[in-house]
Amino acid sequence: MTTQPQRFEILLVPGHIENLRGADPADKALRVAVVEATGETGASGYPRYRGQGLEADIDPETRTVEALLVDGSELGYGLTAMIAPQHGS
C-alpha cells in the first residue's frame, strides 16, 4: 500500500537556472508556497494540491509538477515550478 504525500513545498524559480552548482533551489526561488492535498484529481490525472495562491497537479512518485495555476493564472513565461528537495532523506 502506498500513501500519497499530503503536502509539498513548491518553488517557482527562473527558467534559465539549469545548474544550481550545489546551491539550495530555495535560495533561487522567487516564490515558495506550501500546498496540501485536496483529495481531488486534476485534469492531468494526478492528485490536486492547493495552498498559498497555488493550485497544482503533482505526480507524487516522481515529485513532478504536472499542472500549475499561480493566483488563478498559468505560470508566467520564464518561470519553472519544482518541488523543494527533501532534506534529511
Side-chain angles (χ1 to χ4, degrees):
M1 179 174 107
T2 61
T3 58
Q4 295 177 351
Q6 294 301 299
R7 174 181 302 168
F8 284 105
E9 184 176 46
I10 297 178
L11 309 175
L12 299 182
V13 298
H16 68 273
I17 294 177
E18 294 178 17
N19 185 352
L20 294 173
R21 298 179 192 206
D24 186 340
D27 292 341
K28 304 292 184 184
L30 302 175
R31 182 168 175 177
V32 178
V34 174
V35 294
E36 298 196 15
T38 65
E40 304 167 353
T41 299
S44 67
Y46 291 99
R48 173 75 42 99
Y49 293 79
R50 192 176 291 131
Q52 297 182 302
L54 272 59
E55 187 170 333
D57 296 358
I58 298 173
D59 178 345
E61 284 188 35
T62 64
R63 297 174 51 86
T64 302
V65 178
E66 298 292 343
L68 179 70
L69 292 176
V70 178
D71 299 326
S73 299
E74 291 183 12
L75 185 62
Y77 182 74
L79 294 176
T80 299
M82 62 187 296
I83 301 296
Q86 294 175 309
H87 296 288
S89 323

